[in-house]
Amino acid sequence: MTTTKSKVVYSPVFTDGAEFRIPTFKLLKQDGSLYKSAKAPDLDKEKALRIYRAMVTTRILDERMLAAQRQGRLSFYMQCTGEEAAVIGSTAALDDSDMIMAQYREQGALAYRGFSIDEFMNQLFGNELDYGKGRQMPVHYGSKKLHYMTISSPLATQIPQATGYAYGQKMAGEGHCTITYFGEGAASEGDFHAALNMAAVHRVPVIFLCRNNGYAISTPAAEQFAADGVAPRAYGYKMDVIRVDGNDILAMYQATQEARKLAVEHNRPVLIEAMSYRLAAHSSSDDPSGYRSKDEEAVWREKDPILRMRLWLESLKWWSEDDEKQLQENMRREVLETMKRAQKRPPPALDTLVTDVYDDVPPHLAEQFEKVKAHIRKYPDEYPKSAEHAKGGA
Amino acid sequence: MSKMNMLQAINNALDTAMAENEKVLCFGEDVGVFGGVFRATSNLQQKYGKARCFNTPLVEQGIIGFANGLAAQGSVPVAEIQFADYIFPAFDQIVNESAKFRYRSGNLFDVGGLTIRAPYGGGIAGGLYHSQSPEAYFAHTPGLKIVVPRNPHQAKGLLLGAIHDPNPTLFFEPKRMYRASVGEVPDEDYRLPLGEAEVIKEGSDITLLGWGAQMEVIEKAVEMAEKEGISCEVIDLRTILPWDVETVANSVFKTGRLVVTHEAPLTGGFAGEIAATIQDRCFLYLESPIARVTGIDTPFPLVLEKEHLPNHLKVYEAIRASVDF
């Protein structure tokens, strides 16, 4: 038995789906004005400024931390530069208690939800206040109170998890949904396809947000897939889909607002393809000059999402040169001060070596830990930081 | 008490857990109205509805990814992988995600509610893709618990133990025993502890250690050995990870000899881990080398399955060789 209700033909007819063309949704021009027939979404001044501040915070944090990485103060960093509107515009359209399951380039979502600069720094430096207890590389943030699932390095694994998480939310009946972020490269992984199919079949309130930023490390989108972007895949799963100008904060906000309605009120999963560009390198270990031109980057620099939003805010008299100057100065100072503070904090206690593997430390781990401690006591000078904890009988 | 086979006991355990807590969900391939290819989930959809017991698309990585998310949300998923042989597409979600959720988030998030059920093992003419015992692959990954029951009573108690354990648990069911093993099972909720081996029979000359379907093989071999006056102590490990070193070591202190048997291939099999640990603990007490009786290092065969399997005769021979060393 098949559920396909298709017309019958009597000679072979092939199609590659090229007749389906998904439009791109835009509202805001680069000069801060709206397109002719566009109407701004319902976004009040307070929320608009919360979004803008999160965008600027993210940009400054990224600039400073990349510099810190270059100075050798930090082992690794990943920037969101160029994609701030795609991430923050979508997060802002959700309820603050909706779940976020991100990939690794979505610090903007955390900034919007109120993750403090201190909290960012504690994770980046893996000190004793890091929620992740210094176990993961920098930028693997997580926050239970802000409903932001701890980042995992393996690519795309969070996508089917988001489907499962959202299914649980649907069962709980509390009117919440989950958003999951990923790049167009991650959309090649099996986990992506598994997640969309399961979400569509089981009508799960989940929003899949693909940041199509042009490159998966050095692989350009044209070498990642043959189709017209990622969006058409939703057809195959019978899922609602929208393609949005990812550098347009208003379009991202409105599209996600509508997607949330479909998800929460109608249990329809939605795919959003945010067309953007990764202005920065993939990570601090990457050098884009090896695979793309300065000219190409310059074209996209002209489409800066933060500048575009700022011009819109200024056109409404919600933002001024002075406001900008003050925000920039305060934020730069805060980043530098908190960085110094975070760097000075001690590392996590030695017993975090064996805790949280299970809910409790099982006997074999306790035994192995005793051996580690005894060894450190024997060579205290070789393990300066840990030894202090070992001596304290951690 | 009711007389049940192992499938009925597993079904009864799921029924018990679902009745008690509405957050318990069962899903997997053909798990819904059909009750799973072995019928372990029979009648659960009729009883608890399609939202709590359902079919998934055929995508193991999706099933476990979905289950990880559900567990992180606070639900209690019991995901079925149709055959343990087909757990490998979900390997990444299990070893990189389930196993590390709590650790990597500093205990902000965990998937402790997760239980993954999968039928394992040979002896059913299933050939190389319906007979594997993959426990050793997962035993190398900290953060998981791995449980294997030997009979219906153990199956219900250990499965309820796994469902209620605050850690992600793999529950490998010996499918050869699904219908072959019948016994008395309490009707009410009872939970057997994870991480504890069970001394099934006390003895003084040699310790026999196994799990799951191998326990029946051990029993037959022990019967042969005891007729010859060899006193055997028999231990069901029950939990492969974390495993009960104390109980096994205490037994070997007493008997001075150990035979470990499992169906999976010899190289990298879990018997190797046990042998290394026990020789470390019990070196001066050992009367003979620790013996491993396992499948040979080939894929699981179809027609020559009997020759491949570590049966009671091979275990008996290992007992003899150990005692005569």
Side-chain angles (χ1 to χ4, degrees):
Chain A
M1 194 185 83
T2 163
T3 53
T4 300
K5 294 173 197 140
S6 64
K7 186 173 82 177
V8 176
V9 293
Y10 301 98
S11 59
V13 177
F14 294 92
T15 174
D16 68 357
E19 64 266 33
F20 300 115
R21 281 284 171 194
I22 296 180
T24 302
F25 174 50
K26 291 172 181 273
L27 292 172
L28 194 57
K29 290 197 257 183
Q30 192 59 33
D31 66 4
S33 68
L34 292 166
Y35 285 96
K36 206 172 156 199
S37 51
K39 190 174 165 295
D42 186 19
L43 185 58
D44 61 29
K45 180 180 171 183
E46 193 191 346
K47 194 163 202 180
L49 292 182
R50 183 179 165 194
I51 291 171
Y52 185 70
R53 287 196 183 100
M55 288 169 86
V56 173
T57 299
T58 307
R59 180 72 60 96
I60 292 171
L61 182 70
D62 281 359
E63 285 168 4
R64 290 282 134 186
M65 297 325 289
L66 184 72
Q69 195 278 335
R70 295 299 187 234
Q71 292 161 2
R73 299 168 83 171
L74 197 60
S75 60
F76 178 82
Y77 194 75
M78 295 179 102
Q79 296 168 274
C80 176
T81 306
E83 298 175 73
E84 293 90 344
V87 174
I88 300 167
S90 50
T91 293
L94 305 176
D95 184 293
D96 280 349
S97 328
D98 288 339
M99 191 65 193
I100 296 176
M101 297 176 85
Q103 184 162 301
Y104 46 56
R105 204 183 295 290
E106 293 86 357
Q107 52 266 53
L110 269 174
Y112 176 81
R113 286 209 173 161
F115 206 60
S116 70
I117 301 295
D118 255 321
E119 290 174 299
F120 277 112
M121 292 296 171
N122 293 334
Q123 198 287 327
L124 291 169
F125 289 99
N127 64 30
E128 64 176 356
L129 295 181
D130 169 22
Y131 301 134
K133 303 179 187 173
R135 290 167 179 155
Q136 294 214 74
M137 288 170 70
V139 313
H140 287 59
Y141 310 109
S143 171
K144 185 114 179 161
K145 73 173 190 277
L146 299 180
H147 307 277
Y148 190 94
M149 183 67 74
T150 302
I151 303 298
S152 157
S153 301
L155 205 58
T157 50
Q158 80 281 9
I159 311 175
Q161 290 169 12
T163 301
Y165 199 99
Y167 188 86
Q169 289 173 313
K170 176 178 156 181
M171 292 291 286
E174 287 161 359
H176 281 121
C177 68
T178 296
I179 190 165
T180 178
Y181 293 93
F182 49 91
E184 84 285 354
S188 295
E189 295 276 7
D191 276 322
F192 165 85
H193 299 277
L196 267 68
N197 194 34
M198 289 183 82
V201 168
H202 289 290
R203 299 180 62 97
V204 179
V206 55
I207 299 169
F208 300 100
L209 200 144
C210 177
R211 299 177 285 96
N212 189 337
N213 64 17
Y215 289 89
I217 307 188
S218 73
T219 303
E223 290 171 31
Q224 191 68 234
F225 45 76
D228 170 34
V230 171
R233 296 180 200 174
Y235 289 155
Y237 299 114
K238 198 172 188 297
M239 184 184 298
D240 291 309
V241 60
I242 186 167
R243 173 176 286 154
V244 187
D245 178 345
N247 287 15
D248 178 341
I249 191 73
L250 298 183
M252 281 306 303
Y253 182 81
Q254 191 175 24
T256 312
Q257 220 178 16
E258 297 298 324
R260 187 180 189 278
K261 273 187 205 158
L262 286 169
V264 173
E265 292 169 22
H266 305 281
N267 288 317
R268 297 179 69 94
V270 184
L271 173 63
I272 299 175
E273 184 178 25
M275 306 307 291
S276 186
Y277 190 82
R278 193 195 73 210
L279 268 177
H282 162 72
S283 75
S284 55
S285 314
D286 170 44
D287 175 13
S289 71
Y291 54 83
R292 68 188 191 193
S293 71
K294 290 277 170 217
D295 290 350
E296 180 187 299
E297 290 177 21
V299 170
W300 279 92
R301 226 169 278 283
E302 296 293 310
K303 300 179 187 175
D304 191 316
I306 298 185
L307 180 63
R308 196 185 302 184
M309 185 178 191
R310 182 179 160 189
L311 293 170
W312 176 69
L313 291 173
E314 285 176 358
S315 75
L316 295 172
K317 310 280 181 225
W318 286 357
W319 196 249
S320 68
E321 193 77 31
D322 275 354
D323 293 330
E324 182 72 21
K325 208 177 143 197
Q326 212 182 340
L327 176 61
Q328 293 267 355
E329 276 173 14
N330 289 345
M331 194 48 67
R332 275 170 214 284
R333 194 173 53 240
E334 191 182 344
V335 168
L336 285 176
E337 281 168 8
T338 50
M339 177 158 51
K340 279 182 204 155
R341 212 162 42 229
Q343 246 188 312
K344 279 186 196 146
R345 283 194 198 282
L350 188 64
D351 69 348
T352 60
L353 193 59
V354 291
T355 54
D356 306 328
V357 180
Y358 295 93
D359 64 315
D360 238 338
V361 179
H364 71 289
L365 264 183
E367 192 185 318
Q368 290 170 27
F369 186 48
E370 287 308 316
K371 285 186 182 167
V372 171
K373 281 199 292 185
H375 170 80
I376 292 172
R377 278 189 213 104
K378 196 168 177 186
Y379 294 96
D381 298 339
E382 302 291 329
Y383 301 92
K385 284 172 184 168
S386 309
E388 287 161 32
H389 293 275
K391 284 177 205 157
Chain B
M1 284 281 194
S2 302
K3 203 161 201 181
M4 294 183 198
N5 66 29
M6 192 183 283
L7 278 169
Q8 289 164 331
I10 288 163
N11 183 260
N12 188 267
L14 294 171
D15 192 357
T16 303
M18 290 177 89
E20 201 177 78
N21 179 1
E22 60 176 22
K23 288 185 173 171
V24 178
L25 298 105
C26 295
F27 50 87
E29 293 158 7
D30 301 306
V31 160
V33 67
F34 191 59
V37 290
F38 291 103
R39 308 290 186 272
T41 54
S42 287
N43 301 314
L44 296 176
Q45 186 175 81
Q46 288 87 324
K47 212 163 166 184
Y48 299 103
K50 269 188 168 173
R52 291 183 60 201
C53 177
F54 52 89
N55 292 337
T56 63
L58 301 183
V59 56
E60 289 79 8
Q61 69 186 120
I63 293 169
I64 303 303
F66 180 90
N68 277 332
L70 257 176
Q73 178 269 339
S75 296
V76 185
V78 186
E80 177 177 304
I81 297 295
Q82 202 161 67
F83 284 90
D85 308 71
Y86 302 140
I87 205 165
F88 299 110
F91 202 70
D92 183 42
Q93 282 287 347
I94 298 171
V95 305
N96 272 328
E97 300 294 316
S98 314
K100 298 173 172 72
F101 234 92
R102 190 193 298 274
Y103 180 80
R104 72 168 177 235
S105 70
N107 205 22
L108 280 188
F109 300 98
D110 70 78
V111 295
L114 171 65
T115 304
I116 301 169
R117 296 179 36 247
Y120 87 95
I124 58 143
L128 58 168
Y129 295 121
H130 294 82
S131 306
Q132 294 174 76
S133 300
E135 69 274 2
Y137 292 101
F138 299 100
H140 193 57
T141 304
L144 301 172
K145 289 195 178 182
I146 304 171
V147 177
V148 191
R150 70 174 183 276
N151 64 26
H153 177 271
Q154 292 284 311
K156 180 174 175 183
L158 287 171
L159 181 52
L160 285 167
I163 291 169
H164 290 97
D165 190 272
N167 298 284
T169 305
L170 293 167
F171 193 78
F172 289 119
E173 299 165 3
K175 58 181 170 295
R176 183 165 85 228
M177 313 305 288
Y178 266 162
R179 292 190 173 82
S181 180
V182 179
E184 293 289 329
V185 177
D187 297 307
E188 70 276 7
D189 184 356
Y190 65 99
R191 297 162 201 178
L192 295 174
L194 307 192
E196 286 184 23
E198 186 188 10
V199 179
I200 299 176
K201 185 190 159 316
E202 296 203 18
S204 54
D205 295 332
I206 187 164
T207 303
L208 278 302
L209 177 66
W211 49 87
Q214 270 317 90
M215 297 316 297
E216 194 195 34
V217 170
I218 289 176
E219 269 172 47
K220 280 190 198 165
V222 164
E223 216 175 287
M224 290 172 73
E226 298 224 313
K227 275 185 191 149
E228 295 173 20
I230 302 167
S231 168
C232 299
E233 180 139 309
V234 178
I235 303 177
D236 177 3
L237 194 59
R238 300 200 291 192
T239 302
I240 310 296
L241 188 74
W243 67 285
D244 185 354
V245 179
E246 286 309 309
T247 297
V248 180
N250 286 337
S251 176
V252 177
F253 285 137
K254 186 172 72 176
T255 64
R257 296 182 178 89
L258 176 64
V259 173
V260 189
T261 178
H262 59 61
E263 286 183 32
L266 180 76
T267 303
F270 201 66
E273 182 57 42
I274 294 170
T277 303
I278 295 303
Q279 79 76 38
D280 186 38
R281 287 288 180 103
C282 311
F283 187 70
L284 295 176
Y285 294 79
L286 287 170
E287 302 284 347
S288 64
I290 296 167
R292 294 176 286 167
V293 184
T294 70
I296 62 170
D297 289 351
T298 68
F300 201 99
L302 179 66
V303 177
L304 301 180
E305 148 170 70
K306 191 173 175 188
E307 290 83 346
H308 176 87
L309 276 168
N311 62 13
H312 63 286
L313 294 173
K314 293 176 187 174
V315 175
Y316 166 74
E317 282 302 320
I319 296 172
R320 278 246 59 109
S322 186
V323 172
D324 297 341
F325 181 78

